[in-house]
Amino acid sequence: MNRIWRALLDLALVLWIVRVPVGTTALAYVLLAEIPETQDLLIPLAQGHPFWIPVFFVSYSLLLAMPIHYSARLLLDDDERFHVLLRRRASAYLRALERWAPRVLGAVPFIALMVSANRAIGNLPTFLSHLGLTDQITAQLHHLMIWTGVVLIIFIAYAVWRSSLAATATVQWIESKASAARPVINRLDIAPQRSRITASGRANHSDLGRLLLILLFGFFVIVLLVRPSLIAELFPRTFAIALVLGGWLPIFTYLSSIGRRLQAPFIFGWFLVAAVLTIILGDNHDVRRLSIKAMENGYSRIPLQNAVDLWMSENHCSGQDCPRPIVIAAAGGASRASFFTATVIGELLEEAKHHGLNETAVRKRLFAISSVSGGSVATIMTVAALAAGGKETQLPCPPTPFSLWHGGQIESWRGCLEALVTGDFLTPVFIGLTFHDMLPFSLWLDRATMLERALERRFADVMARGKVDPLAKPCPASLKCPFMNLRPRVEFWLPLSVLNGVSVNTGQRIITTALEPTYRESTTYPQDCATAGSAGPHRLFAEAFHFHDLLRDRATLHGPRITLQRALTGDYLFGRIPSDIRLSTAALNSGRFPILLPPGGVRNEEHYMVDRIVDGGYFENYGITSALELVYAIHAVNCHLKPFVLVISNDPEVPINAQEMSDNTRDTDFVTDLSSAFYSVSRARKARGTFGIAQLRSALHDFDDACGGSFAHIRVWPQDRTGGSSCDKASRDPRAVSMSLWLSTPVQMHLAEETDDKCNSEAMKNVWKALESTCEAK
């Protein structure tokens, strides 16, 4: 037992010395092997041109595996106290740990790749087998695993025979050239008397390796300070994994080494200094705003009564003869939600001709979209595309193929909307999170702004291919346009956007919409039709803040730190008076999921912080609460109107029957006291969504007698691991469907297939019935 305990202590000591490479390796394994969204990234690599596979492994080895190996070896070789222990103990086990720990750590990223590829096979949608694609993609992923195994063997061989390779003439010549950098390396050497490398007179040890680490960190600093968006384009998606994981490895290795010499917590000090500077100077996570000069309509917002009258005018009706206003509730769920929402709305526009309608008729029927997170990105993209299509609802996307979209040439509204939301929105966030937001106390772009710009570029690229640049068109045919310009106008109806975020200060909703916060009931129709009980004014969305009201909030704060942070904001420095936000920013007002995206600081016109906004899913992930309130208000304004609510959700893991227990519970979880609190909060966001569906069924029951149904739910249905699926019984362990900020072709195909799935057929029939018919008042 004593020998076992000493062996464990020796292992713990070695792992502590190389804690930076160990942490990087552990993060690489968790990211690749445990997260379906990362596993999804390997599919396009496996399916792509064979040229990209060796390019990937070269970058993966040079930027991640080899730096991990060399950093661990350098830390062990430099640690004088560790080598004193080696000489005193003369332990073969300890010697073996010194020799093999760096090799194993460098090999783990390759093992994680193989595990990730194998799990990606298990996540493939079952319907692909009917298309003959499952075997093809499986074989491609197996080939990738074989390639990974080959590169792993090469890496192990390199690590074992590294000393022999270093003795070759070529390497010796390169080492001689690298020795020119020794003065720079020596200047970085703090407390050299406590370094085994320097103190033992081995001043020329690993000049090349240390120089490469310095150059690697220099490259990352360039990424940090200069053009992160360009680097995101050069290292997209899978290629960004090594960049993201290895980015800070050199500097943290250096800090760890110096910390061991001086017995001081330099890494902890790094984070402490960054945190303190952020507290003093403020962060760079403020919501981007636009000056009033950029707006056409100033602060003007639309009263609900005016919106209802305008909608009826566009549909050439006066009340009882009106079609049913369609209110969509689009759930959150990153790019999965964006794509599925775009697919469903695109399907309605595309198939309208088969139901006696056309695209213009469907556009005019859509009254509003209440959305959350990824659903909000699809909402903004869709309404902006409808605006670009003009009064005739012409297809704004040119008939050309687009990268990253599963389809061929765009020929319909469905293809257009899908292409808009399938850009690479993942890499900019990864690059921003890894570099810019590690030091967030500056005027440089944070990851939210980088994502907003990626959304703007994707929209412009899809719209501009083969056509005039849409930025030359009048707003709102660009995501750079002010949000208040994306609104219905006389003789040109556009669906109203209701984007749901959450206030950090209160936990209530922050809603970004062009609608006024209050409404009055109609005095034209019988009062017993009204739902609110009095003429008003009534709050349109109860206990919710309107984002544009926060911009005009008159709050002022005092104190030296507040004054300093206010003075350092870009708008204050340049004398701008912001009063609106871009369309891309409005989409992210609803989608700031913590960690992935930062909370957005909301500043008023005087540049004082009045609140912070995060993902709307923390209140309710389906957007149903706001949709239901809007339905009540429309009916109160004109009791002859009976709105129809279409819920679009995308969570295959959510039980079909709300009373059914999902396969989440374990007898004992890891650190149950903490994990239970986290899981209960994170899963409640979806539970409130399913509860909202139950509320819809109950609340709209009064409309059903006159209208024959007032609600439809289109969802992504669960699939068994064995390949089966059911419309009335959920799988206890359904196949994962990636919800990343980017989707592979198989996931896109799976989501697109769901609109034709037999499980959604009844809901689609109800939607078409609502679009085709009027609804007489009781």
Side-chain angles (χ1 to χ4, degrees):
M1 291 298 296
N2 182 57
R3 286 196 299 271
I4 293 174
W5 178 244
R6 183 171 294 276
L8 291 175
L9 290 178
D10 289 343
L11 176 62
L13 173 63
V14 170
L15 294 180
W16 174 249
I17 294 173
V18 298
R19 56 192 177 277
V20 171
V22 166
T24 303
T25 303
L27 182 60
Y29 186 87
V30 170
L31 188 65
L32 287 163
E34 301 298 330
I35 301 178
E37 287 72 19
T38 312
Q39 296 155 17
D40 190 43
L41 290 174
L42 298 183
I43 295 177
L45 176 65
Q47 289 184 304
H49 193 281
F51 167 78
W52 291 112
I53 291 181
V55 171
F56 166 76
F57 280 113
V58 168
S59 64
Y60 194 75
S61 300
L62 293 178
L63 297 178
L64 183 60
M66 293 178 70
I68 286 175
H69 168 261
Y70 182 71
S71 295
R73 187 170 61 81
L74 185 63
L75 287 169
L76 288 170
D77 203 28
D78 184 68
D79 197 299
E80 178 61 26
R81 286 186 294 159
F82 176 67
H83 282 272
V84 169
L85 178 65
L86 277 178
R87 291 192 295 270
R88 187 176 72 245
R89 291 266 306 278
S91 168
Y93 171 71
L94 203 55
R95 288 284 182 186
L97 283 178
E98 178 199 21
R99 185 168 57 255
W100 279 98
R103 299 171 183 176
V104 172
L105 289 174
V108 168
F110 296 105
I111 297 171
L113 267 180
M114 289 191 281
V115 174
S116 183
N118 184 63
R119 293 183 176 176
I121 294 172
N123 294 336
L124 290 174
T126 56
F127 89 97
L128 292 177
S129 59
H130 305 304
L131 304 177
L133 294 177
T134 300
D135 292 341
Q136 175 185 337
I137 298 175
T138 299
Q140 291 166 335
L141 286 169
H142 281 150
H143 291 156
L144 182 64
M145 294 169 68
I146 293 172
W147 272 106
T148 306
V150 170
V151 177
L152 174 59
I153 293 172
I154 294 173
F155 173 80
I156 294 296
Y158 154 78
V160 171
W161 288 297
R162 177 188 52 82
S163 298
S164 300
L165 291 172
T168 61
T170 302
V171 176
Q172 286 295 313
W173 180 81
I174 298 174
E175 279 279 6
S176 67
K177 299 300 180 182
S179 63
R182 192 175 304 159
V184 176
I185 296 174
N186 290 339
R187 285 182 179 275
L188 296 174
D189 207 10
I190 299 175
Q193 70 279 6
R194 302 187 185 184
S195 164
R196 176 176 177 262
I197 293 176
T198 307
S200 60
R202 302 164 62 195
N204 64 341
H205 175 79
S206 303
D207 284 338
L208 176 60
R210 288 184 287 177
L211 177 61
L212 289 176
L213 282 181
I214 293 173
L215 292 176
L216 185 63
F217 183 67
F219 169 72
F220 293 140
V221 170
I222 293 173
V223 172
L224 175 67
L225 297 177
V226 186
R227 291 290 303 277
S229 58
L230 176 61
I231 299 300
E233 294 174 2
L234 295 175
F235 294 89
R237 298 175 302 282
T238 314
F239 290 85
I241 293 175
L243 192 69
V244 167
L245 293 173
W248 292 94
L249 180 63
I251 185 63
F252 285 143
T253 296
Y254 173 74
L255 292 176
S256 178
S257 176
I258 301 303
R260 282 286 294 174
R261 294 182 193 179
L262 301 180
Q263 301 183 48
F266 278 92
I267 295 178
F268 174 78
W270 170 286
F271 287 104
L272 181 62
V273 169
V276 170
L277 287 176
T278 302
I279 293 172
I280 296 173
L281 303 177
D283 57 40
N284 62 335
H285 301 324
D286 288 354
V287 173
R288 287 197 304 165
R289 299 168 296 166
L290 277 174
S291 169
I292 193 170
K293 295 178 181 179
M295 299 177 60
E296 292 180 2
N297 298 296
Y299 287 127
S300 175
R301 288 186 282 187
I302 308 171
L304 180 62
Q305 175 65 59
N306 292 2
V308 170
D309 290 343
L310 183 57
W311 182 87
M312 291 192 298
S313 174
E314 283 291 282
N315 285 277
H316 307 292
C317 64
S318 58
Q320 293 183 345
D321 58 336
C322 282
R324 305 192 66 181
I326 307 297
V327 176
I328 295 177
S335 284
R336 185 178 69 193
S338 299
F339 187 90
F340 193 56
T341 300
T343 294
V344 174
I345 297 176
E347 176 81 2
L348 297 178
L349 293 166
E350 179 180 339
E351 296 297 316
K353 57 182 175 294
H354 300 302
H355 296 267
L357 301 170
N358 57 30
E359 296 92 337
T360 301
V362 172
R363 170 176 60 80
K364 292 180 178 180
R365 300 290 198 275
L366 299 179
F367 187 87
I369 306 175
S370 171
S371 56
V372 177
S373 192
S376 294
V377 173
T379 297
I380 291 297
M381 291 277 200
T382 297
V383 181
L386 289 171
K391 296 180 180 180
E392 301 301 322
T393 323
Q394 297 177 348
L395 185 65
C397 300
T400 56
F402 285 91
S403 62
L404 307 182
W405 177 51
H406 74 96
Q409 182 170 290
I410 292 180
E411 297 177 345
S412 66
W413 269 99
R414 175 169 168 169
C416 176
L417 298 184
E418 288 180 351
L420 286 171
V421 298
T422 52
D424 179 11
F425 309 130
L426 178 65
T427 310
V429 172
F430 267 13
I431 297 296
L433 175 62
T434 308
F435 298 105
H436 279 202
D437 291 351
M438 287 290 287
L439 301 170
F441 45 85
S442 178
L443 292 177
W444 53 48
L445 307 181
D446 72 343
R447 58 192 186 274
T449 301
M450 292 181 65
L451 176 56
E452 290 171 16
R453 292 190 171 184
L455 293 171
E456 294 165 4
R457 287 195 301 272
R458 180 64 177 184
F459 189 90
D461 182 50
V462 174
M463 291 290 164
R465 190 74 62 87
K467 285 192 171 185
V468 178
D469 186 348
L471 297 183
K473 294 182 180 181
C475 283
S478 164
L479 295 198
K480 293 184 178 181
C481 292
F483 174 78
M484 281 297 181
N485 279 324
L486 193 68
R487 56 198 292 146
R489 292 179 170 83
V490 176
E491 297 184 357
F492 187 24
W493 176 263
L494 289 174
L496 291 157
S497 301
V498 180
L499 313 177
N500 296 271
V502 167
S503 162
V504 172
N505 286 354
T506 66
Q508 300 290 358
R509 288 168 295 166
I510 297 179
I511 294 177
T512 307
T513 182
L515 287 168
E516 281 193 353
T518 61
Y519 72 96
R520 292 182 178 273
E521 294 184 1
S522 171
T523 57
T524 306
Y525 301 101
Q527 193 63 38
D528 58 359
C529 283
T531 57
S534 64
H538 306 286
R539 290 289 300 181
L540 181 55
F541 302 109
E543 298 190 28
F545 300 96
H546 282 240
F547 180 81
H548 287 80
D549 286 343
L550 295 179
L551 295 182
R552 289 183 287 171
D553 191 272
R554 308 318 301 173
T556 58
L557 306 174
H558 302 285
R561 188 164 58 89
I562 292 172
T563 302
L564 175 63
Q565 293 180 11
R566 173 174 176 257
L568 291 177
T569 61
D571 289 328
Y572 182 87
L573 288 173
F574 294 104
R576 294 189 291 257
I577 304 177
S579 56
D580 201 3
I581 53 176
R582 296 168 180 84
L583 291 175
S584 59
T585 306
L588 256 63
N589 267 1
S590 177
R592 291 176 173 267
F593 193 84
I595 305 301
L596 192 61
L597 291 172
V602 183
R603 292 184 179 272
N604 60 16
E605 292 177 338
E606 300 299 322
H607 314 293
Y608 290 104
M609 184 80 71
V610 294
D611 205 341
R612 291 186 183 271
I613 186 170
V614 293
D615 191 285
Y618 272 82
F619 185 88
E620 181 260 292
N621 198 44
Y622 282 24
I624 292 177
T625 302
S626 298
L628 184 56
E629 289 177 301
L630 187 57
V631 166
Y632 283 147
I634 293 170
H635 184 60
V637 166
N638 187 328
C639 66
H640 294 300
L641 297 179
K642 303 292 194 300
F644 181 94
V645 179
L646 167 59
V647 179
I648 305 173
S649 69
N650 60 88
D651 305 302
E653 69 277 9
V654 171
I656 296 170
N657 180 354
Q659 303 302 315
E660 179 182 356
M661 291 299 296
S662 61
D663 192 24
N664 288 326
T665 304
R666 301 290 186 272
D667 290 336
T668 302
D669 231 330
F670 181 72
V671 193
T672 307
D673 289 356
L674 298 178
S675 61
S676 295
F678 168 78
Y679 288 134
S680 60
V681 171
S682 62
R683 288 164 183 165
R685 58 199 296 268
K686 295 177 181 177
R688 284 192 290 269
T690 57
F691 176 69
I693 292 176
Q695 283 185 304
L696 273 178
R697 289 194 180 98
S698 175
L700 301 182
H701 183 268
D702 291 342
F703 294 173
D704 290 348
D705 293 341
C707 310
S710 296
F711 157 77
H713 180 200
I714 298 176
R715 61 166 291 166
V716 175
W717 294 82
Q719 294 183 323
D720 290 336
R721 293 281 177 181
T722 59
S725 61
S726 172
C727 300
D728 57 5
K729 185 177 181 181
S731 168
R732 297 284 289 180
D733 184 24
R735 290 174 181 253
V737 180
S738 173
M739 58 175 291
S740 174
L741 294 176
W742 173 87
L743 300 176
S744 68
T745 295
V747 173
Q748 292 181 38
M749 295 173 66
H750 170 50
L751 295 174
E753 182 74 11
E754 287 292 314
T755 57
D756 298 323
D757 190 275
K758 58 182 174 58
C759 297
N760 282 321
S761 60
E762 190 63 30
M764 289 297 292
K765 289 179 182 177
N766 291 336
V767 176
W768 285 117
K769 182 179 178 181
L771 284 167
E772 295 167 0
S773 63
T774 61
C775 179
E776 298 295 334
K778 291 181 66 174

